[in-house]
Amino acid sequence: MGNTRTWGAAAAAVLTLAGSTGCGPLLTEGRDGPAPADTGIVVHDEAGRVEDRRAAEDHWTGGGIAAVARLDAKDDLVQPAWQGGGSIARTVGRVYASGADGGSGACTATVVGRRTVITAAHCVRTSVEGAPASKATWDQGLYFVPGYENGAGPAGGFTVRRVRMAEDWERYGRDVAMLEMNPGPDGRNISEFTGVQPISFTAKPGTEANFFGYPYTNRVLYCSGVTTWTERNTLLRVPCVMGRGSSGGPYLSGDPAEGSVVAVNVIGDDEASYGTALGAFAQRLYEESERGD
């Protein structure tokens, strides 16, 4: 795998499903049902200082992105590449991070607010084997490239000021993170470069969902299917498969080019992918991120 991080290979059988392989690590505890409604929020300062922003930018633009891209598939894709344009081509991208082990990797993320990007919690934090969720390590140097294709994006890259997520983020229904982004070099918010993908906190099963992700590919892929609930109504299942790197990718309801984000991908098996359904808790994270509390 070179120096590309494999996002927590320890979580091999996190779903109670036969043949589960996973798109990424998560959910190693608390699988008896939904987390309590009053779950606490953890706020992590990532790159608020100018020197931290510069260090992240220098790392990823100076060879870090290229190192991850060496493993990207360009042909023989697991799903078709998205060619429909729309807001997807601007708002969905890759989020990069370095782990405490020195490795690096990428997930998928989406611009959903004036300065907010949504992804999976396990894309920005790594479990410590045998330890509770609160002891997980924070990944470093987070860097988001919206509209990523063939090594770059039309708006460049953006660093992360703060991360917001659940204290019990390893539970089903809690693997979601909101990234409060630093402004661009000219002081404008990320949304002024990319636009905003609508977001909904009333996820429902039985509707068509369009799933977008970068499963270690040089461009964004997509697949579609009718959703169903699983894990006591905390995850939405969509009958299509992507793989590692698609974690954090949005499930959109409605028009595939302009639809609303209703879940973020967290894991998969041989037949389907599963996303954290966005509800009241995700809305709290989102509102705090937009306010910059």
Side-chain angles (χ1 to χ4, degrees):
M1 293 296 289
N3 71 337
T4 300
R5 192 171 170 212
T6 57
W7 296 119
V14 294
L15 285 178
T16 54
L17 299 169
S20 176
T21 56
C23 295
L26 77 164
L27 310 173
T28 55
E29 61 180 34
R31 290 181 283 157
D32 295 329
D38 61 352
T39 297
I41 293 175
V42 175
V43 181
H44 172 69
D45 290 328
E46 166 57 21
R49 301 182 306 171
V50 172
E51 53 266 40
D52 294 331
R53 299 181 201 180
R54 288 176 179 165
E57 290 168 352
D58 290 347
H59 171 72
W60 294 109
T61 61
I65 289 175
V68 173
R70 283 198 288 269
L71 292 178
D72 284 347
K74 300 176 179 61
D75 302 299
D76 192 25
L77 305 173
V78 295
Q79 298 290 350
W82 173 249
Q83 298 178 334
S87 59
I88 292 298
R90 303 183 301 272
T91 61
V92 178
R94 297 183 88 174
V95 59
Y96 295 87
S98 298
D101 60 359
S104 59
C107 280
T108 306
T110 310
V111 182
V112 290
R114 181 169 54 95
R115 56 182 175 188
T116 300
V117 167
I118 191 171
T119 191
H122 74 261
C123 290
V124 296
R125 201 170 183 188
T126 302
S127 299
V128 175
E129 187 174 0
S134 60
K135 299 300 182 182
T137 60
W138 291 97
D139 298 326
Q140 301 171 353
L142 303 180
Y143 193 68
F144 176 59
V145 182
Y148 177 90
E149 185 171 350
N150 291 319
F158 296 81
T159 57
V160 176
R161 184 183 182 195
R162 294 190 183 103
V163 178
R164 290 174 174 82
M165 59 195 298
E167 289 181 330
D168 58 349
W169 62 276
E170 292 182 325
R171 293 182 65 104
Y172 289 141
R174 291 296 186 244
D175 191 8
V176 58
M178 299 290 176
L179 313 182
E180 179 189 334
M181 308 303 294
N182 285 311
D186 61 359
R188 290 187 292 163
N189 286 314
I190 187 171
S191 58
E192 297 180 69
F193 294 89
T194 64
V196 175
Q197 198 68 35
I199 188 169
S200 172
F201 304 102
T202 57
K204 297 178 181 178
T207 58
E208 185 85 6
N210 302 280
F211 168 25
F212 297 85
Y214 290 86
Y216 284 100
T217 51
N218 68 336
R219 54 202 186 275
V220 66
L221 311 185
Y222 81 105
C223 55
S224 303
V226 176
T227 60
T228 53
W229 282 127
T230 187
E231 297 304 324
R232 300 191 182 183
N233 299 355
T234 61
L235 301 182
L236 280 179
R237 178 187 187 274
V238 62
C240 58
V241 178
M242 289 263 191
R244 291 186 186 276
S246 65
S247 287
Y251 294 6
L252 270 61
S253 64
D255 186 314
E258 308 289 345
S260 297
V261 180
V262 295
V264 291
N265 189 55
V266 292
I267 202 163
D269 57 28
D270 293 335
E271 298 179 348
S273 299
Y274 304 83
T276 297
L278 305 184
F281 182 73
Q283 185 171 8
R284 285 176 57 198
L285 293 175
Y286 175 78
E287 290 173 350
E288 288 194 11
S289 180
E290 285 291 270
R291 290 194 306 265
D293 291 347

